[in-house]
Amino acid sequence: MRFFTASFEKSASLQKGWHLVLCSSSFLFSLVFIYCAYRLFQTYDWGHPFTKFLCFSGLFALILTLFNHRTQSDDIGKTMLMTEAVFAMAVLALIFARMVPAYGDFIFAAPTVDIGYTTEHAAKLLFLQGENPYLSESINIRPELAPEHRGFHYGPGMILGYAASAYFPGIGYKLTSVAFLAITALALCSLVAGCLTSRSQIETNGWQVRSAVLASMVLLFLPERLWYEVFHVGANDIYPVALLLVGLVCVQKEKWLLAGVLMGLSFATKFSPAAFLLAMFLRKDIRLNFLIGCAIGASPLLIFLAWDHQSMIENVFILRFSLNFDSTSLYSITPDVLHVLFPLTQLCALIYFLVRNANRTLSIEETVVCFTLLLMIIEVTFKEIHANHLIWFYPLIAFIVAIYRHKLFPSR
C-alpha cells in the first residue's frame, strides 16, 4: 500500500513539476516569439509585404492558441509568480535603459512624418487662425493628390487631441504623445488587473496580478518601433488607441456612457481602428447609454460636416477608400485579377465576427481577442501596411499575452 501511495505522490509531483515547466516556458516562448516578430517589423519597414504578412500570421496564430487554451489551469504558485515578476522588472528596466537614451531627446523636436506635422499644422489653422484645415490645399501638398484631397486627412478629434501643438510648436506635439502613451500604459495595467481580480482566484491572486501587469508592460514597451514612431517621427496613432483602451476600462467598470464617449471620440479621430472595436459591441445586449455616448463622442464630425461637409467627406472618408495600394501591401505582389479577394476577405471577416457575437455577452478578454484578430485581418488585406499602424496592436497583444501567458502549451 505504501508503495502505491509513494508512487502516486511521485507521479503527482512529476505532473506538477511538468506543469510548472510548461507554464514558465509558455511565457518565455511567447516573449521571444513576439520579440522576433517585432524585430522583423523594425528591420523590414517599407515594402516587404510578405514578411509583414508572415509576422501578422504568426501573431494571429499565437493569440488564437492562447485564447483556445484559456480554460486550462495556470496555477504556478506564489514563488514562481514572484520570480516571474522580478524577471519582468529586470527586462523592463533593460528596455528603458536602452530606449530612453536613444529616443528621449526627440521629445523636444517637432514631428517629421506627415501624419505628425500635418496634425500640428491643422491645430494651428484651427485654433490660431480660425480656418478649416479640411479646406486648406497647402496642408498636405502631394503631387499624386487631387486638390480636393489636400486638406487634413484625419478626423477632427485628432486636432482636439493635439491642440497643445498649436500653442507650443514642436514640444507640444511630442509631449502630448508622451502623455497619451502614459495613459495607454495605465489603462492597460487597469485592464489586466481588472480581468484577473474579477475571476475566482486562489490565494496567490496578488502576485498573479502583479506579475501579469509587469508582463504587460514588458510587452507594451518591447517593440523599438513604438519608441521610434511616437518619440522620433511623431506618429499620432497612440492617441486614438489610448481613447479605446480607456473606453474598455470604462466598459469593464460598466460606465457605459463614458465608454461610448471615448470610443466615439476615437472614431472621430481616426476611422480605424475604432470602427472595428465598435463593431464588437453590435450585439443584442448593447446598452442605450453606450450608443448615446458614441453619438456624443463623434459630435466633432458633425460640427465640421456642418462647417464644410464636402471637404470633410473628401479628406476623411473618400480618400481612405480611394487610395491606391503601395509597396507595403499584398496588393503589390498579387496579380491584379486577385485583388478583389482582399476586400472580400475583410467583409467576410467582419460578418463572421458580427454573427458570432450577436447573441453573446462577451467578457473584456474575449472582446479584445475578437477585435485584435479582426483588426489583423483588416490590416494585412489593406492597401497599406505602414509602421505607424503597428501602434494599434502593441497594447492589444500585450494585454492578451499577459492574461494568457501561461496557456500556450496544452497542460494535458
Side-chain angles (χ1 to χ4, degrees):
M1 187 67 179
R2 289 180 180 176
F3 172 77
F4 288 111
T5 302
S7 298
F8 177 78
E9 290 176 351
K10 184 178 180 180
S11 176
S13 178
L14 287 172
Q15 287 182 357
K16 184 177 180 180
W18 181 240
H19 176 72
L20 291 176
V21 169
L22 285 176
C23 289
S24 301
S25 58
S26 170
F27 176 47
L28 289 174
F29 179 88
S30 299
L31 183 62
V32 172
F33 182 86
I34 291 171
Y35 174 78
C36 292
Y38 288 167
R39 286 306 305 168
L40 286 172
F41 278 133
Q42 175 71 13
T43 305
Y44 299 98
D45 177 11
W46 192 262
H48 304 283
F50 190 68
T51 302
K52 295 178 182 179
F53 171 74
L54 290 178
C55 290
F56 272 117
S57 297
L59 293 170
F60 188 98
L62 175 68
I63 291 170
L64 199 58
T65 302
L66 289 170
F67 184 68
N68 285 338
H69 295 164
R70 63 189 181 280
T71 57
Q72 71 184 31
S73 172
D74 61 349
D75 175 23
I76 61 173
K78 184 177 181 179
T79 302
M80 286 295 295
L81 288 169
M82 292 174 67
T83 304
E84 187 178 85
V86 172
F87 170 74
M89 283 191 291
V91 173
L92 192 60
L94 287 173
I95 292 171
F96 275 83
R98 178 172 179 266
M99 297 300 179
V100 171
Y103 294 101
D105 289 343
F106 292 105
I107 295 175
F108 306 101
T112 58
V113 70
D114 60 344
I115 57 177
Y117 60 71
T118 57
T119 299
E120 188 174 56
H121 189 181
K124 290 177 182 177
L125 282 176
L126 178 63
F127 294 110
L128 298 183
Q129 302 174 32
E131 297 180 14
N132 187 339
Y134 297 102
L135 286 169
S136 173
E137 291 188 15
S138 64
I139 199 170
N140 208 343
I141 303 175
R142 288 160 53 185
E144 73 273 17
L145 294 178
E148 64 267 21
H149 293 315
R150 290 181 185 169
F152 189 57
H153 290 167
Y154 301 100
M158 189 73 78
I159 309 172
L160 298 176
Y162 284 89
S165 65
Y167 304 99
F168 306 98
I171 190 173
Y173 183 91
K174 293 288 185 65
L175 287 179
T176 301
S177 288
V178 172
F180 292 138
L181 180 59
I183 290 170
T184 299
L186 291 173
L188 180 58
C189 292
S190 180
L191 281 173
V192 171
C195 287
L196 291 177
T197 54
S198 65
R199 299 175 183 174
S200 178
Q201 296 287 341
I202 58 176
E203 64 271 9
T204 55
N205 181 51
W207 280 105
Q208 285 176 341
V209 172
R210 294 185 193 103
S211 60
V213 166
L214 287 168
S216 70
M217 291 298 96
V218 168
L219 292 163
L220 174 63
F221 291 106
L222 178 65
E224 185 174 355
R225 199 77 212 181
L226 174 69
W227 297 82
Y228 180 83
E229 293 291 331
V230 174
F231 290 82
H232 188 280
V233 300
N236 50 28
D237 296 78
I238 194 64
Y239 172 51
V241 169
L243 290 173
L244 293 181
L245 286 180
V246 178
L248 285 170
V249 172
C250 292
V251 170
Q252 193 176 56
K253 299 179 182 299
E254 297 189 352
K255 297 179 179 179
W256 291 99
L257 181 65
L258 184 55
V261 170
L262 291 166
M263 293 185 189
L265 182 57
S266 182
F267 179 83
T269 298
K270 201 165 187 179
F271 176 84
S272 181
F276 302 105
L277 178 57
L278 290 172
M280 298 301 98
F281 291 92
L282 295 179
R283 309 190 298 259
K284 285 189 175 180
D285 63 350
I286 192 168
R287 304 297 181 91
L288 178 59
N289 282 350
F290 180 74
L291 294 175
I292 294 172
C294 288
I296 295 171
S299 60
L301 285 170
L302 299 178
I303 295 171
F304 277 83
L305 282 171
W307 192 348
D308 187 284
H309 69 278
Q310 184 174 352
S311 61
M312 175 75 172
I313 293 172
E314 289 279 1
N315 283 293
V316 177
F317 297 103
I318 293 179
L319 179 64
R320 291 294 111 193
F321 293 106
S322 60
L323 281 173
N324 292 322
F325 64 84
D326 61 26
S327 62
T328 65
S329 72
L330 292 176
Y331 282 80
S332 65
I333 59 173
T334 306
D336 291 351
V337 70
L338 297 179
H339 286 182
V340 68
L341 295 177
F342 297 125
L344 186 61
T345 299
Q346 294 176 343
L347 180 62
C348 289
L350 179 60
I351 291 173
Y352 167 77
F353 281 105
L354 289 175
V355 173
R356 176 192 182 275
N357 300 335
N359 296 313
R360 300 189 185 202
T361 299
L362 302 185
S363 63
I364 287 293
E365 299 104 301
E366 191 168 357
T367 299
V368 174
V369 168
C370 291
F371 169 49
T372 306
L373 295 178
L374 174 60
L375 196 60
M376 284 184 173
I377 295 171
I378 298 296
E379 179 66 15
V380 298
T381 53
F382 190 53
K383 295 178 181 179
E384 300 173 344
I385 308 178
H386 290 175
N388 61 289
H389 299 172
L390 299 174
I391 295 173
W392 307 345
F393 295 96
Y394 295 141
L396 301 175
I397 293 171
F399 171 80
I400 296 166
V401 176
I403 291 292
Y404 301 126
R405 67 194 182 283
H406 298 141
K407 302 185 179 186
L408 180 61
F409 305 120
S411 58
R412 294 179 235 168

